[in-house]
């Protein structure tokens, strides 16, 4: 209640605040003529309260300056006289402002959209509040209400203007919506609040991220196509189209990505794997979103292929050849085989062994052995070229896988010849077996074929290339021998002065290193027929004169036994008349088997020369003067061979004993 005491005047002015009461009234009359009653024109805010002589203007309803800044009241006073008088006064009331109004925002809720990654000081929104009061009571300032420190780091507000700006890094993937509480306060502390909702707009600023959820590593090389080997997950922190991702494999590899549930892919094989071709795959997976512009990322997946024992050992050569000289030492190395297995570790570990078999009826293991680790083949025994020249063995290479795989290879062992065999003379036969003499016609011309030395060598190659040489002869200038053919020919015509009995010592040498040789004696009689042959005693006497002095003792011993020997010779000559003589040789190619050594075998290219002559000898029975008949030779210069004589050793024991002793070397 506002009591305003006053005196009646024509006009009164009062200034009161919206919350002030006035107490004041005054009347100068007295008695009955004084003011007896008052009346106040009806209004919305004041009433009169009369208490004796005190008139009180009572504020009946709260004033509101924001509605009515000034109020005019009409007060009438009536006295008690007669005639009754009255007076009026106008009361002008000025309502002063009081801070009775809080600031009021223009919107209850503000909404704003803000692209993420907006730069600093970007204006988000401007809030506005008004205060109906005046002066200080109507000055409004802005500030954040109850918000977190993170919001204060992201945004700032101008206290005077209410402008909200970006103060930090706006990231949609961190916070997509901000709810800001803004306070407006007037000068004397009245405040009000509003809400600002800031929606962050997604920008394609995040590349897809690839995660390998599972991976079978390593994978066996025998997995069938279509086998799942891994699961891939792709995530993109953006939204909408910026979040849509396409995933693929760029390289030419036997793998592909098969979409599964959302953002998941299966990594599956598309072809047959082979560790021996490619043992490791570096698979690059690319992911691209559908933003504008699109962003992409990639991830490499290392995938190893596990080995399976699917490859047998393979020899480096299809076959092997080993060469060894005969008479080798047991344990000597023949050759080395090598097999490669492209598998890994124990699947690629190769072990060598010999396959069972026989060589010349004996187990192959008795000839050679193989080192299981290195593949080196050794000789178990010493080889003889003359027994066998080559043989084959089978070597197996087996890996250590499960189950093991293997392959075989043939190793041919060739034995090379060593000059370990001396030449063997087939004709003339060794004196211990027979005793032969060739007849040379007195009319033989120079170059005529007289006889031939036939020899063989069990060796081969140049070790069997034979050469013939006369090392001693009764008459050195009369006969010559073909170096390679062994044919004995006259060097000149036969003369009467030539000794009837000729003895040649022939040496046969091979071409080996070192050279080996053998010698034989060839007995020749210069005569047209047997009837012309004088008594062996006289011939022996002539021949003894040509012996060397060193052998005179042997000649004396021979003379002492002459008579006994002569009887034996006579008996032998008569025996020869009654039988057909043996075939000396049927030809250079066909050699009587009696002259062949037990271990001799014909060898192609051994060096033993073949003759171009064939001989057929016939001896008729009858008297001592019977002739020998030979067919014509293929060579015109061949001496007719009907002068060949063969006798037993006892027939010539005395006649040629001294001469042979003097010519042997």
């Amino acid at each position: 209640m506002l009591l305003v005491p006053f005196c009646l005047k024509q006009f009164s002015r009062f200034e009161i605040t919206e919350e002030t009461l006035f107490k004041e009234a005054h009347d100068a009359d007295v008695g009955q003529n004084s003011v007896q009653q008052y009346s106040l024109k009806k209004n919305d805010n004041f009433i009169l309260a009369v208490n004796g002589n005190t008139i009180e203007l009572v504020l009946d309803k709260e004033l509101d300056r924001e509605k009515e800044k000034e109020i005019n009241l009409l007060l009438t006073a009536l006295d008690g006289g007669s005639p009754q008088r009255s007076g009026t006064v106008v009361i002008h009331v000025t309502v002063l402002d009081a801070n009775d109004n809080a600031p009021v925002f223009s919107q209850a809720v503000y909404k704003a959209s803000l692209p993420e990654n907006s730069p600093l000081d970007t204006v988000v929104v401007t809030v506005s509040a008004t205060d109906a009061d005046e002066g200080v009571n109507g000055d409004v300032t802005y500030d954040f209400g109850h918000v977190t420190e993170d919001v204060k780091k992201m945004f700032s507000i101008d206290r005077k203007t209410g402008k909200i700006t970006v103060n930090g890094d706006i990231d949609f993937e961190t916070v997509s919506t901000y709810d800001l509480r803004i306070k407006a306060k007037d000068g004397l502390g009245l405040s009000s609040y509003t809400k600002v909702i800031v929606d962050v707009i997604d920008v394609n600023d995040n590349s897809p991220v690839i995660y390998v959820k599972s991976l079978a590593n390593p994978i066996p090389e025998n997995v069938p196509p279509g086998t799942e080997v891994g699961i891939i997950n792709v995530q993109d922190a953006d939204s909408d189209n910026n979040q849509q991702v396409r995933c693929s494999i760029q390289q030419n590899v036997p793998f592909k990505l098969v979409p599964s549930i959302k953002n998941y892919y299966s990594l599956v094989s598309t072809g047959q794997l082979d560790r021996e071709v490619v043992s490791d795959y570096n698979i690059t997976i690319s992911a691209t979103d559908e933003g504008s512009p699109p962003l992409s990322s990639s991830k490499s997946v290392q995938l190893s292929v596990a080995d399976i024992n699917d490859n047998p050992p393979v020899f480096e050569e299809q076959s092997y050849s080993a060469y060894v000289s005969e008479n080798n030492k047991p344990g000597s190395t023949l050759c080395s085989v090598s097999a490669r297995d492209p598998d890994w570790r124990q699947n690629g570990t190769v072990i060598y062994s010999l396959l069972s078999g026989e060589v010349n009826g004996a187990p192959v293991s008795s000839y050679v052995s193989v080192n299981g680790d290195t593949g080196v083949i050794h000789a178990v025994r010493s080889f003889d070229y003359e027994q066998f020249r080559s043989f084959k063995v089978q070597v197996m290479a087996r890996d250590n896988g499960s189950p093991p795989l293997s392959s075989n290879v043939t190793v041919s062992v060739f034995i090379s010849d060593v000059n370990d065999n001396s030449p063997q003379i087939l004709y003339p036969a060794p004196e211990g077996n027979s005793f032969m003499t060739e007849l040379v016609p007195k009319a033989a011309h120079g170059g005529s074929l007289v006889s031939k030395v036939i020899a063989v060598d069990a060796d081969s190659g140049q070790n069997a290339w034979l050469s013939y040489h006369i090392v001693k002869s009764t008459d050195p200038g009369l006969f010559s021998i073909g170096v390679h053919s062994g044919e004995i020919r006259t060097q000149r015509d036969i003369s009467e002065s030539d000794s009837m009995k000729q003895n040649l010592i022939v040496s046969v040498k091979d071409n080996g290193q070192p050279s080996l040789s053998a010698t034989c004696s060839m007995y020749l009689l210069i005569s047209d027929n047997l009837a012309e042959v004088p008594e062996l005693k006289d011939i022996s006497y002539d021949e003894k004169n040509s012996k060397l002095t060193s052998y005179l003792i042997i000649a004396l011993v021979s003379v002492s036994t002459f008579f006994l020997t002569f009887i034996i010779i006579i008996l032998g000559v008569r025996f020869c008349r009654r039988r057909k003589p043996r075939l000396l040789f049927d030809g250079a190619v066909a050699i009587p088997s009696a002259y062949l050594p037990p271990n001799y075998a014909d060898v192609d290219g051994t060096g033993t020369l073949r003759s171009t002559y064939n001989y057929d000898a016939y001896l008729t029975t009858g008297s001592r003067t019977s002739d020998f008949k030979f067919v014509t030779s293929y060579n015109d210069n061949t001496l007719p061979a009907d002068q060949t004589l063969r006798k037993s050793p006892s027939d010539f024991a005395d006649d040629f004993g001294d001469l042979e002793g003097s010519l042997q070397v």
Side-chain angles (χ1 to χ4, degrees), residues 536-553:
L536 295 179
K537 174 180 66 175
D538 298 334
I539 297 174
S540 178
Y541 175 79
D542 294 336
E543 289 299 324
K544 290 174 185 177
N545 294 333
S546 63
K547 297 299 182 180
L548 299 175
T549 305
S550 60
Y551 293 99
L552 290 178
I553 297 175

Side-chain angles (χ1 to χ4, degrees), residues 307-309 311 341 343-349 399-402:
D307 184 52
I308 299 297
N309 191 29
N311 290 281
D341 194 321
D343 294 325
W344 195 46
R345 290 188 175 175
Q346 67 178 17
N347 293 334
T349 302
D399 60 29
N400 211 20
S402 179

